[in-house]
Amino acid sequence: MYEQISHSKLNDILIELAPDIKEKNLQHFYIRLGSNFYAIYTLFQQLYGERKDFDIQLSSLVKTLIQSYITRSKALRKLDLTREKDHDWFLSQKWVGYALYCKEFSGNLKTLQKKLHYMQDLGINMLHVMPILDCPKGKSDGGYAVRDFKKINAEVGNLKDLDSLIKNLKSRDILLTLDVVVNHTSNTHEWATKARSGDLKYQNYYHIYDDRKMPDLYEETMPEIFPETSPGNFTWDEEMQKWVMTVFNDFQWDLNYKNPEVLIEMIDIILFWANRGADIIRLDAVAFLWKKIGSTSQNEREAHLILQLMKDCCQVSAPGVLFIAEAIVAPVEVIKYFGEDAINAKECEIAYNATLMALLWDAVATKKANLLNLGIKNIPAKLERATWLNYARCHDDIGLGFDDNDIRMAGYDPKSHRNFLVKYFTGEHEGSPARGVAFGINKKNGDARIAGSMASLSGLGVALDSGDKVALEASIKTIDLLHSVIMAFGGIPLIYYGDALGVLNDQSYLLDDDKKSDSRWVHRPYMNWNKAELRNVQGTVENRIFKSLKKMIAVRKEVSAFADHNNRELLQVNNPHLFVFSRFDVRNQYSRVLVICNFDTNAQQLDVSDLRKRGFFQYDSITDIYSAEVINITDNHINIPPISFYWLST
Ligand code: OTU
């Protein structure tokens, strides 16, 4: 959009920067800058308009954008143009993601290349290598406490190794997701070190206070994220003799986005990794970006303005790159991280669907889909050029952030239901086969979350130990069922490493001083590659789980109704154990799938009379596109076996 004030400012900035710009071929850059500048200017002004150095900061931002574009390779610029033409390429059903910790998965970046064929065997084409940036040994939060944002953690390799991995991935058409931890740095980051030594410029990069006055005000309303290991939101720094805001661990210093220099630094870092060849940038903990006294300091309006700025800027210099929002917050809030408008107020194209994830585990524990149905119904519609990252397990814990009203409507009391879930998944509930570990127990308010691998939470460990065949079947079927939902729901399924093989909890973290206090490490296993080979041995547990998942992925890729074009309809049925939804392709009326999931350990009947009125089940038999089995309809009913799913072609 053309607007006089911002445009004349931009002209001044460009004239000032001109002598330093050698490259002539900036046509695409200038067009994008011109298109987005009014938005960039307006957002920057809303955030920093009061500052005396506003013009200087704005000019520094534009300089960052030009410099980043100039260093963007020809190949990546070409990719930007290709993606521009095919602007909703990432909504296709062909994408299947995989998340792993490099060190635990393969040792380092070099050896990771030797395992790519394993992922391809499964059908993976989007790889998220969890944080690999330089961080101190020990106090690193699995890489989420970054010491140097432009350096690779020496434990896994160096920039050259990453370049070589990226080249390899590109030749296989596998996308790469890298993390940029935008909310905080390690307390050993150069900015933090300088702040400690008294440098005011860098003290301004963080939230630092002389006494408890401000921290106490903040604490009145800010929840605790890691109550066991890092209670409160502030840490006393001996060297500085000051309080520092540390919302997560005490060694993770929260960045101060009230300072525009921080935002510009982070945009520069995002573009640095975009230029290195990352296709997708995962923005960690985005809900926390703006702190405000008297609030929880999550989901603040300014946090959204910051993300809009990051997106607008990225679109100017590296438009082909997508953002993933990691915001584990209530559905009404999560949806906002896509932005309010795909053109005027866009933010991240992809967001973690933590709601679905937690609801799925609720269905596993209760064997009923009533809370799942209610919870999904209440997820607001999202923008068109936006998609979910659907997962059943990831590197973090399972939080029980369901809506209290939904819990009540499902027929439970919120407090005792959450209590039941924690007990169920930690194996304390009578008859529960799950063997997870509690995480983040908050003694003050009784909250707790759950850690544990998909297999251990699904009862595989207990079944193998006891040799109980029925229990073994149930656990494998639970794993399949969970995977089947994330494949079919609409969005990009994200497989967590180990889950395709039924990897159990890894207790070795208890022997590691740096990990033992954080139970999330129980589900961040060292891969056992000999066990992975068992996937090729007929009849083994590894073979059964891997084979089913591989088949689901292959079928998903073939079915256009599984692409995410807001083409899902949740269907209410009168059996509480069933979760039923349809997927359709607006451009192809023949591609329609009815997904039916039975979470109960007994077979369930589905009365299809109502569904028949809605155009489903027009014949007496119907094919399951996953198993190729023909399902018969008898007296208007179909039978769904215990813990299983159908993908019916209607
Ligand atoms: C994210 O997590 C990461 O995924 C965690 O691995 C990190 O520990 C954390 O940030 C700090 O960098 O910020 O928006 O239960 O769900 O900490 C949600 C805790 C986050 C995580 C939460 C999360």
Side-chain angles (χ1 to χ4, degrees):
M1 175 177 144
Y2 175 78
E3 185 266 347
Q4 287 83 352
I5 300 173
S6 57
H7 201 80
S8 82
K9 276 230 182 324
L10 179 60
N11 276 339
D12 291 347
I13 294 172
L14 292 176
I15 289 167
E16 176 200 316
L17 297 177
D20 297 331
I21 305 170
K22 300 276 172 292
E23 187 182 329
K24 295 281 164 279
N25 187 19
L26 293 174
Q27 183 203 345
H28 293 299
F29 172 81
Y30 283 134
I31 293 179
R32 290 176 194 139
L33 182 63
S35 318
N36 270 11
F37 194 71
Y38 175 62
I40 293 174
Y41 172 80
T42 313
L43 291 164
F44 208 71
Q45 207 193 27
Q46 284 182 62
L47 288 165
Y48 310 115
E50 304 284 288
R51 293 175 61 106
K52 284 203 191 78
D53 63 349
F54 176 78
D55 284 354
I56 300 172
Q57 297 298 344
L58 186 67
S59 161
S60 147
L61 176 63
V62 175
K63 197 168 164 190
T64 303
L65 300 185
I66 298 190
Q67 272 164 355
S68 301
Y69 183 75
I70 288 172
T71 48
R72 192 153 176 84
S73 71
K74 271 207 182 100
L76 290 174
R77 290 183 189 184
K78 210 170 131 198
L79 187 65
D80 289 335
L81 296 177
T82 319
R83 288 185 180 163
E84 218 162 70
K85 280 210 176 90
D86 185 15
H87 68 282
D88 56 4
W89 59 274
F90 58 96
L91 303 180
S92 160
Q93 75 280 7
K94 84 170 202 191
W95 301 113
V96 179
Y98 193 85
L100 56 84
Y101 279 97
C102 182
K103 189 174 156 210
E104 283 75 9
F105 182 76
S106 61
N108 59 43
L109 287 169
K110 272 202 188 100
T111 42
L112 177 56
Q113 291 196 43
K114 302 217 160 63
K115 304 295 180 200
L116 296 180
H117 68 88
Y118 164 80
M119 287 173 229
Q120 280 194 300
D121 183 15
L122 197 57
I124 302 302
N125 48 21
M126 187 183 271
L127 174 62
H128 173 203
V129 183
M130 304 284 298
I132 43 168
L133 302 192
D134 177 53
C135 58
K137 222 186 139 16
K139 301 194 165 192
S140 69
D141 190 16
Y144 284 105
V146 178
R147 181 168 54 193
D148 185 338
F149 282 107
K150 293 193 178 172
K151 215 169 126 192
I152 302 280
N153 180 358
E155 269 199 290
V156 297
N158 54 36
L159 276 172
K160 257 199 179 145
D161 297 331
L162 181 73
D163 290 344
S164 151
L165 171 71
I166 290 176
K167 220 168 128 200
N168 193 338
L169 290 172
K170 291 223 183 285
S171 65
R172 294 169 196 259
D173 279 328
I174 301 180
L175 303 178
L176 177 66
T177 304
L178 290 181
D179 279 86
V180 176
V181 187
V182 279
N183 179 68
H184 45 264
T185 74
S186 154
N187 60 351
T188 58
H189 189 288
E190 197 192 346
W191 303 335
T193 316
K194 286 189 173 152
R196 269 221 185 95
S197 68
D199 189 332
L200 287 180
K201 172 179 157 90
Y202 290 100
Q203 290 195 355
N204 240 330
Y205 271 43
Y206 300 98
H207 302 266
I208 293 177
Y209 304 100
D210 293 333
D211 53 36
R212 285 293 307 182
K213 206 173 112 214
M214 296 295 275
D216 283 345
L217 287 178
Y218 274 113
E219 290 290 14
E220 283 176 11
T221 46
M222 278 171 86
E224 292 177 290
I225 307 300
F226 295 144
E228 291 165 303
T229 49
S230 180
N233 288 286
F234 292 84
T235 302
W236 173 251
D237 187 79
E238 272 302 325
E239 204 181 319
M240 235 177 357
Q241 293 286 302
K242 287 181 199 267
W243 290 95
V244 188
M245 185 186 278
T246 54
V247 170
F248 293 91
N249 287 297
D250 55 13
F251 51 84
Q252 289 165 306
W253 287 19
D254 284 68
L255 285 164
N256 173 19
Y257 280 88
K258 289 184 180 102
N259 177 355
E261 284 171 62
V262 168
L263 176 66
I264 297 168
E265 297 261 22
M266 294 321 284
I267 289 176
D268 176 58
I269 289 159
I270 290 171
L271 293 172
F272 175 84
W273 293 106
N275 283 350
R276 213 81 211 178
D279 299 282
I280 303 169
I281 304 281
R282 175 190 183 276
L283 299 175
D284 185 59
V286 288
F288 295 81
L289 292 180
W290 195 267
K291 317 303 199 270
K292 200 175 271 172
I293 287 173
S295 78
T296 58
S297 293
Q298 288 181 44
N299 308 311
E300 285 300 318
R301 183 176 156 268
E302 288 84 349
H304 289 285
L305 301 183
I306 289 165
L307 288 167
Q308 285 169 28
L309 257 170
M310 287 176 171
K311 182 81 275 183
D312 281 326
C313 290
C314 189
Q315 283 188 332
V316 171
S317 302
V321 171
L322 305 180
F323 286 171
I324 299 182
E326 194 255 352
I328 312 303
V329 295
V332 280
E333 295 296 339
V334 174
I335 215 86
K336 296 182 190 160
Y337 290 91
F338 291 124
E340 281 159 43
D341 180 297
I343 294 159
N344 291 320
K346 63 240 166 203
E347 294 181 22
C348 303
E349 291 85 354
I350 308 172
Y352 276 78
N353 195 351
T355 307
L356 174 66
M357 180 277 297
L359 287 166
L360 285 174
W361 287 105
D362 183 86
V364 168
T366 59
K367 305 180 176 46
K368 286 197 184 120
N370 45 357
L371 187 56
L372 173 60
N373 273 305
L374 282 164
I376 296 302
K377 203 169 82 191
N378 291 342
I379 301 182
K382 58 180 167 55
L383 290 182
E384 256 166 40
R385 201 174 162 273
T387 196
W388 293 114
L389 200 59
N390 293 319
Y391 62 108
R393 281 306 286 119
C394 75
H395 69 290
D396 277 333
D397 51 287
I398 303 172
L400 307 174
F402 317 111
D403 190 290
D404 280 359
N405 271 333
D406 288 352
I407 304 183
R408 279 185 214 105
M409 273 169 72
Y412 315 112
D413 165 67
K415 204 172 156 77
S416 51
H417 189 62
R418 289 197 179 91
N419 212 342
F420 154 74
L421 290 172
V422 173
K423 285 211 160 117
Y424 183 90
F425 286 112
T426 51
E428 276 177 47
H429 185 81
E430 169 131 21
S432 161
R435 289 297 178 268
V437 185
F439 172 78
I441 299 172
N442 189 332
K443 293 221 170 79
K444 287 171 226 157
N445 60 16
D447 278 356
R449 284 119 79 181
I450 296 150
S453 81
M454 179 190 263
S456 292
L457 295 176
S458 300
L460 184 64
V462 170
L464 289 171
D465 285 350
S466 68
D468 179 339
K469 286 215 171 78
V470 178
L472 184 70
E473 268 325 287
S475 64
I476 294 178
K477 284 178 152 217
T478 303
I479 294 170
D480 287 349
L481 179 58
L482 291 168
H483 278 144
S484 82
V485 180
I486 63 166
M487 286 296 150
F489 188 75
I492 303 165
L494 182 74
I495 313 287
Y496 185 57
Y497 81 108
D499 290 350
L501 298 166
V503 171
L504 299 173
N505 286 346
D506 185 341
Q507 304 291 350
S508 68
Y509 79 103
L510 291 169
L511 306 171
D512 186 331
D513 283 341
D514 298 329
K515 294 178 174 173
K516 68 180 179 202
S517 59
D518 188 337
S519 62
R520 290 175 298 173
W521 284 102
V522 81
H523 58 249
R524 299 168 178 177
Y526 281 97
M527 277 291 270
N528 176 341
W529 286 99
N530 292 329
K531 253 187 118 190
E533 282 311 308
L534 293 177
R535 75 187 187 278
N536 299 317
V537 180
Q538 200 66 29
T540 58
V541 169
E542 290 77 7
N543 174 261
R544 290 186 56 190
I545 297 172
F546 192 92
K547 211 165 64 183
S548 316
L549 183 56
K550 181 173 169 170
K551 190 163 156 193
M552 283 180 219
I553 292 175
V555 174
R556 168 185 158 91
K557 288 183 181 176
E558 292 298 315
V559 179
S560 63
F562 283 157
D564 188 17
H565 296 284
N566 287 333
N567 47 342
R568 176 185 53 249
E569 191 184 8
L570 190 63
L571 296 160
Q572 300 299 332
V573 295
N574 55 10
N575 182 328
H577 302 285
L578 303 179
F579 179 48
V580 182
F581 58 89
S582 81
R583 300 299 317 279
F584 48 90
D585 179 354
V586 272
R587 291 157 305 187
N588 171 8
Q589 56 165 319
Y590 299 107
S591 186
R592 192 167 71 158
V593 182
L594 187 70
V595 177
I596 305 177
C597 305
N598 176 11
F599 284 89
D600 196 25
T601 41
N602 298 306
Q604 292 296 322
Q605 300 291 310
L606 171 65
D607 180 342
V608 302
S609 350
D610 280 346
L611 291 168
R612 279 193 149 156
K613 286 182 212 141
R614 305 189 56 173
F616 299 98
F617 301 105
Q618 297 305 302
Y619 304 98
D620 286 337
S621 65
I622 189 164
T623 309
D624 174 36
I625 56 170
Y626 169 72
S627 64
E629 243 178 83
V630 175
I631 315 297
N632 291 316
I633 303 161
T634 323
D635 293 335
N636 268 331
H637 280 79
I638 59 166
N639 179 61
I640 304 109
I643 326 178
S644 68
F645 68 95
Y646 282 144
W647 286 352
L648 302 179
S649 119
T650 71

